[in-house]
Amino acid sequence: MAGDDRSGLFQPLPGAAFLRASLAGAECRPALVLLEGGAGTGKTTLAARWARAAADWDARTLRHTPAAGSTTPPDLTAVEAPALLVVEDVHRAPDGTVPWLRAWLREARPGFVTVVSYRPAELPHPACPLGLDPELPPALRIRRERLGPWERDRTRALALEVLGPERSSERLADRLHLLAGGNPQTVRDLLDVLAETTDPAATLQDEEVEPPVRLSQHITARMASLGEGATALVRAAAVLGGGSRERDLRRVAGLGRSAGGAGLVQALRSGLLEERAPDRYGFTIPLAASAVLTLLPGPVRCSLHRRAADVLTRGGEVSWVAVAHHERLGGREGAWLRAAERAADDPNALADPGAAVSLLRSLLGRPDLPARAAGRLALGLTRNALLTLPSAGTVDVLGQILVLSQLADEVRGEIRLERGLVLNSQLCRSEGKAETERAVSELRSRPDLRVRALAALANPLSAVYGLDANLHWWERARATAEASGDPTDLLAARAVRGTIAVACGERRRVPGRPGRLPDPDGGPDSRRNEYLTRALSNAACCAVFNGDLRQAAVLLRRSATPWAAASAPFITQCDRGTELLLRLERGEWSGLGRESRGLLSGVGTRVDARLVLLHLGLAQGEWEDCVTLQPGLEDMPRVFSQFPYEVSAAGIRIRMAVARQNTAQAVATADRIWHRLRAKGVWVWAGHAAPWAVEAWLLAGGEDTARAAVAEFASGLRTHHSRTAGAALLRCRALLAEHAGEHPEARGLFGRAALVHGRTGAPYRRALDLEAAGRCGLVAQPPEADAETETETEAGAGAGVGGPAEGPLRDLEEALRVFESLGASWDALRARGTLRELAPPGRSRVLAGDAADARGRGRPAYGGALSPREQEVAALAAGGLTNREIAGALHLSPRTVEQHVYRIMRKTHAVSRRHLPTSRADP
């Protein structure tokens, strides 16, 4: 199984320092590198990288592969040092290869490095690839380089590269890593298969994942080399799965202590099995178990499953889900159904949710379905699903159970409730709310579950219901809780009311506000811990959107309890997504895009990651990525099922449309999101779209529409308030003033908005307001004016530049500095263009610096290098902007931009606009 590590080129080169020192000259001591690793660990790839590196260091390279038919060793007498000789796959080499190697190494000349690759498990003596006592000379430097399985992060990186951010996820990559045992070749082969499927995650979650052809062939060859006892033990390990005790392996294999012990030693030395823990043995590549099982005749396989079921029932603590699995595959149907009944009452039945789902699927396929057992097992599965990370398969199985006529109403209601919650919050499917409503009517005899359902319907983050409906559901939850008198139910009602208050920015005091809630204590009351953790998590999300970033950080810390990490990974993942948004708002952009891409398909993080990438893509000029990630207008409520996310995404869509001079699209998006804001009634969230909607309406000549919307926005903030919304309202009024030609007033309003964002700790939003304040100030003040007016002084102070008022020019330059420090290249280029257009000659330090840099490079033009203007055009063109859009951003004519692009592509030899340099720092 040849190793194939296509991502290896992006990894540090192991042993590079040793090789380089050994190839520094003809006088260096000769060296031997023993490159060992199992099948598929990447030995061939690493040897090839070493050969390329040696060539770069001016050393000669030779390759000898005796196992591939190259039986004649190379003539090394005429090869001058320094030189690198690679001898591959010594474990499969003909008999004469090792003696030749030993003779060569005894006489190896200075400046020569010999690399010998091999699989230890396929050698007579695993630690001695050159045989026993090869008598190597004292002057020979020796290094052993061992290759093993990949780390989990490397599998995740390759999955992201092959499948793309929307089809890959941490959960998928972790499952892939588990099945492949981290083996690079198996990871690669599985990814090649997954790349051709429509749903990679569902393919990997199947009970029987088909092993890749290369792995099956390798396993077949290795099995053929084993003795009878070792073969029986490997087959037993394939049936039992996971890490099994020696005693259990021997019993399933039908071997005694002596024969079983000897067989296990041989199986371990073969590399097929490994010791995972003391007295726990399993496959080095877990997916190899499937390859072994496919080699077994049906009667033999059934017999092994029956033995496995018998062995598992002899222990003290029985895994009845596993027993049922083996009884079914062993063909003992009566025993299977009895084990399924026991599994339904087993508190540990959900230790492996995938196995529980498989058992339920098998039960649903029977005409004599034991509905009572299926219902109990389904209840356990639903209780487990909401706080963990279920697959779509879990939800589908629960849907099949709901149609069973034998289920009691309260059992059906509980299953429906949990299924609805999973559909809505984790899988973002719209039918979740309707399912939860139906559950309310089915749970009349269960006030605790009714409160749970009603509290979920009262959650204000969803766009399905308006705020009035959310309050209606909360009133019903409170009444139900008060009637029951249960303290946990009362806490749930209080907590959801506090979430509504935080989401809306209510000014009055509400008892359930997060600051008044106790922390989850990890005690025995899991419902209490869940309600508290979920309330803190939801409130943290709302606080980020409302601009209360300090409160959001505190709430995230309170939510991150040991109980949540152990029992509620879904909520933990939601908090991880909120952390992405918090970092975006705080301006902590370093590495944020890379991390968000890795979480783009993760349950609980996909929406946050998508929104962050949209914001970054717009600000950094990666507009092709933005277009890919941006859903259509009709699809936005489905993709961004939580309403503040939809509003924020709509704001980005409007900004892009305005920048691309697509006024019709900008207005359509503005009209639609305003209609939805009016229906929802939570006006603090309008701050993420209102300024851009106002700009779109004004560009389209809809001044009356814009003024009416701003008045409606202001009215909605009379009883509710947030910092982001307050600053957005100031920006809206500033845009109206600027449109009316009242530039001094507009500058003051923009400056006040910047001051709010400065106090909030949102540098990017502050920079946008400073840019607008500076623009209005320069327009209001003629270029030839020497003194700043009193109005400018007040506006500069309002902009929060620091120190005494410094005027509109300083505002623009500060905005440009922030944009560049964040990496917001598109915004930086736009601000620089505004400076060039409006700044008084000789007054801008930034433009003076550009001019000095240009003079330092000398004349004529820049030769093969790009000028500063060409660098700006290249960055925008590479991000996907058209010539007309670039012209609008840089205040140039489309014809000038066209000429710039032609010269840039000729200088850089770029094959397309996408391959142009993307920043001023690029060569």
Side-chain angles (χ1 to χ4, degrees):
M1 198 167 60
D4 177 12
D5 176 8
R6 298 181 196 175
S7 68
L9 295 176
F10 306 102
Q11 300 294 328
L13 182 60
F18 178 85
L19 284 175
R20 188 157 197 170
S22 301
L23 294 170
E27 70 284 354
C28 294
R29 289 168 55 191
L32 168 65
V33 180
L34 300 176
L35 178 57
E36 69 174 46
T41 51
K43 298 183 297 298
T44 301
T45 300
L46 180 56
R49 292 181 66 196
W50 280 343
R52 286 193 295 270
D56 291 341
W57 302 330
D58 297 325
R60 292 158 183 80
T61 60
L62 301 94
R63 179 181 177 186
H64 180 41
T65 312
S70 177
T71 56
T72 304
D75 182 6
L76 303 174
T77 57
V79 179
E80 296 182 4
L84 175 72
L85 169 65
V86 178
V87 183
E88 294 191 89
D89 295 337
V90 169
H91 59 282
R92 294 189 295 165
D95 292 341
T97 301
V98 170
W100 168 77
L101 264 174
R102 293 168 64 145
W104 157 250
L105 291 170
R106 283 195 295 267
E107 304 297 332
R109 290 175 282 152
F112 272 78
V113 175
T114 304
V115 175
V116 176
S117 73
Y118 57 95
R119 299 176 188 171
E122 300 182 34
L123 290 171
H125 305 284
C128 302
L130 301 178
L132 298 176
D133 192 15
E135 299 179 359
L136 300 176
L140 185 69
R141 301 175 67 205
I142 303 176
R143 176 187 177 93
R144 189 187 302 271
E145 192 73 42
R146 291 186 175 91
L147 295 183
W150 277 353
E151 297 291 335
R152 193 178 302 269
D153 287 345
R154 195 150 176 207
T155 301
R156 289 175 178 173
L158 189 59
L160 186 65
E161 176 188 335
V162 173
L163 300 178
E166 293 197 278
R167 282 158 49 83
S168 178
S169 67
E170 282 193 6
R171 189 180 180 192
L172 178 147
D174 290 349
R175 170 75 170 161
L176 172 67
H177 188 82
L178 175 66
L179 289 173
N183 181 273
Q185 183 63 67
T186 307
V187 169
R188 181 72 249 184
D189 287 346
L190 282 172
L191 283 172
D192 286 342
V193 173
L194 295 176
E196 299 176 0
T197 63
T198 56
D199 190 348
T203 301
L204 275 193
Q205 289 301 324
D206 285 345
E207 185 178 359
E208 297 296 337
V209 178
E210 184 177 355
V213 173
R214 205 183 328 251
L215 176 62
S216 295
Q217 291 177 342
H218 172 70
I219 295 302
T220 303
R222 297 304 298 144
M223 289 285 288
S225 68
L226 297 179
E228 185 177 342
T231 300
L233 278 165
V234 170
R235 289 175 174 178
V239 168
L240 286 171
S244 303
R245 296 178 297 181
E246 178 187 353
R247 182 188 65 186
D248 295 340
L249 290 172
R250 285 193 286 104
R251 287 175 175 174
V252 173
L255 298 175
R257 185 184 300 273
S258 177
L264 181 57
V265 170
Q266 187 183 11
L268 291 170
R269 286 179 175 172
S270 74
L272 289 174
L273 300 185
E274 65 179 0
E275 185 178 13
R276 297 185 174 178
D279 194 29
R280 288 293 186 273
Y281 305 95
F283 278 87
T284 306
I285 301 175
L287 191 55
S290 297
V292 171
L293 291 175
T294 58
L295 298 174
L296 297 178
V300 174
R301 190 167 56 250
C302 285
S303 176
L304 289 172
H305 277 295
R306 291 171 192 156
R307 288 184 191 172
D310 293 340
V311 166
L312 291 178
T313 53
R314 292 182 191 176
E317 185 173 326
V318 179
S319 172
W320 288 105
V321 171
V323 171
H325 166 79
H326 290 300
E327 296 286 19
R328 179 171 64 89
L329 294 180
R332 300 194 297 206
E333 293 206 357
W336 165 40
L337 293 177
R338 287 192 296 273
E341 288 275 0
R342 300 288 294 272
D345 296 321
D346 182 3
N348 299 315
L350 299 176
D352 182 354
V357 169
S358 297
L359 176 58
L360 276 172
R361 278 195 175 128
S362 64
L363 289 172
L364 289 170
R366 290 188 56 85
D368 55 341
L369 169 70
R372 181 169 159 271
R376 291 201 308 275
L377 194 55
L379 276 178
L381 195 63
T382 58
R383 290 163 183 159
N384 184 66
L386 187 64
L387 295 178
T388 57
L389 305 174
S391 65
T394 306
V395 172
D396 293 340
V397 169
L398 296 179
Q400 295 175 50
I401 291 173
L402 284 174
V403 302
L404 298 178
S405 59
Q406 303 98 315
L407 291 181
D409 279 350
E410 65 178 29
V411 173
R412 190 189 315 279
E414 184 170 358
I415 295 173
R416 192 185 304 282
L417 167 61
E418 304 293 350
R419 182 174 184 269
L421 295 178
V422 171
L423 280 169
N424 185 64
S425 64
Q426 296 189 20
L427 302 181
C428 301
R429 284 160 57 174
S430 57
E431 63 266 33
K433 286 295 183 185
E435 197 83 319
T436 306
E437 281 193 55
R438 289 184 63 186
V440 171
S441 62
E442 293 174 341
L443 293 169
R444 293 184 181 89
S445 62
R446 293 291 303 276
D448 56 331
L449 295 179
R450 278 176 64 86
V451 169
R452 182 186 183 89
L454 292 166
L457 295 172
N459 188 340
L461 288 168
S462 171
V464 175
Y465 303 111
L467 179 59
D468 290 341
N470 292 138
L471 290 170
H472 163 75
W473 292 117
W474 168 73
E475 289 283 2
R476 291 186 60 182
R478 184 185 65 172
T480 303
E482 289 176 348
S484 74
D486 183 84
T488 303
D489 293 346
L490 291 168
L491 178 65
R494 281 179 53 213
V496 76
R497 184 62 183 89
T499 301
I500 293 173
V502 174
C504 299
E506 290 188 42
R507 296 178 184 274
R508 60 177 177 166
R509 295 185 178 276
V510 174
R513 281 189 178 274
R516 299 187 174 192
L517 291 176
D519 287 337
D521 56 14
D525 190 346
S526 60
R527 285 200 307 134
R528 179 181 184 278
N529 288 323
E530 180 189 344
Y531 284 135
L532 289 173
T533 304
R534 196 177 295 279
L536 294 172
S537 178
N538 288 337
C541 178
C542 295
V544 171
F545 280 104
N546 291 355
D548 198 340
L549 306 185
R550 291 181 182 176
Q551 183 190 25
V554 170
L555 292 171
L556 286 175
R557 285 196 297 271
R558 291 180 61 196
S559 176
T561 63
W563 177 88
S567 304
F570 171 67
I571 300 179
T572 300
Q573 284 294 93
C574 289
D575 286 351
R576 190 174 179 185
T578 302
E579 180 71 27
L580 296 178
L581 294 174
L582 182 60
R583 287 170 56 191
L584 177 77
E585 292 292 334
R586 285 176 161 177
E588 299 167 2
W589 290 11
S590 177
L592 183 59
R594 181 174 61 255
E595 184 174 348
S596 297
R597 288 194 179 280
L599 297 173
L600 193 53
S601 292
V603 177
T605 60
R606 60 168 64 95
V607 180
D608 308 85
R610 192 184 194 111
L611 187 60
V612 167
L613 288 172
L614 281 172
H615 275 287
L616 294 177
L618 177 64
Q620 295 172 348
E622 300 291 341
W623 285 22
E624 287 189 5
D625 290 345
C626 246
V627 170
T628 301
L629 292 168
Q630 185 74 264
L633 196 56
E634 299 296 327
D635 290 333
M636 287 186 70
R638 175 184 59 82
V639 175
F640 297 103
S641 60
Q642 292 188 318
F643 194 59
Y645 292 82
E646 181 187 348
V647 177
S648 187
I652 297 171
R653 185 181 179 88
I654 296 169
R655 285 189 70 193
M656 278 194 66
V658 168
R660 305 191 89 149
Q661 303 175 38
N662 190 341
T663 306
Q665 184 187 88
V667 169
T669 306
D671 289 343
R672 181 180 176 85
I673 198 60
W674 208 258
H675 171 75
R676 290 181 60 75
L677 277 162
R678 189 179 292 127
K680 180 64 184 178
V682 181
W683 285 102
V684 293
W685 291 336
H688 293 272
W692 320 116
V694 167
E695 187 174 354
W697 286 320
L698 292 176
L699 284 173
E703 183 177 350
D704 291 343
T705 301
R707 290 190 179 279
V710 173
E712 189 174 15
F713 185 19
S715 177
L717 296 182
R718 284 175 186 164
T719 56
H720 298 160
H721 177 71
S722 82
R723 295 177 180 179
T724 298
L729 181 59
L730 289 169
R731 187 176 179 93
C732 289
R733 288 169 171 163
L735 288 168
L736 293 174
E738 184 180 17
H739 182 75
E742 299 167 354
H743 293 96
E745 180 183 350
R747 171 167 163 71
L749 290 167
F750 281 127
R752 288 169 58 192
L755 181 61
V756 173
H757 284 135
R759 290 173 176 170
T760 300
Y764 178 71
R765 295 182 185 277
R766 171 176 173 265
L768 289 173
D769 292 329
L770 285 177
E771 178 194 7
R775 180 185 67 236
C776 290
L778 290 176
V779 169
Q781 175 180 299
E784 62 274 6
D786 292 327
E788 295 177 354
T789 64
E790 182 179 351
T791 301
E792 290 167 342
T793 301
E794 294 173 357
V801 176
E806 297 185 58
L809 196 60
R810 298 293 173 256
D811 288 349
L812 255 176
E813 290 179 340
E814 169 68 3
L816 177 58
R817 183 195 66 77
V818 174
F819 289 144
E820 289 181 337
S821 69
L822 292 173
S825 54
W826 176 61
D827 296 289
L829 292 172
R830 184 188 61 245
R832 193 179 293 272
T834 302
L835 271 174
R836 285 202 181 96
E837 182 186 25
L838 299 177
R843 295 281 298 279
S844 171
R845 291 174 294 181
V846 172
L847 297 182
D850 287 350
D853 181 56
R855 288 193 297 273
R857 294 190 185 190
R859 303 288 185 189
Y862 293 83
L866 300 183
S867 69
R869 176 64 85 189
E870 287 171 341
Q871 291 174 10
E872 294 172 351
V873 171
L876 294 176
L881 275 70
T882 65
N883 290 348
R884 182 171 296 278
E885 291 162 358
I886 297 171
L890 299 181
H891 306 286
L892 301 172
S893 70
R895 176 64 177 167
T896 301
V897 172
E898 181 181 345
Q899 293 170 349
H900 277 310
V901 171
Y902 171 75
R903 286 195 296 269
I904 293 165
M905 297 189 72
R906 187 174 61 184
K907 287 182 178 181
T908 61
H909 306 289
V911 296
S912 70
R913 293 164 71 102
R914 182 69 170 169
H915 294 87
L916 293 174
T918 57
S919 73
R920 291 169 61 87
D922 285 349

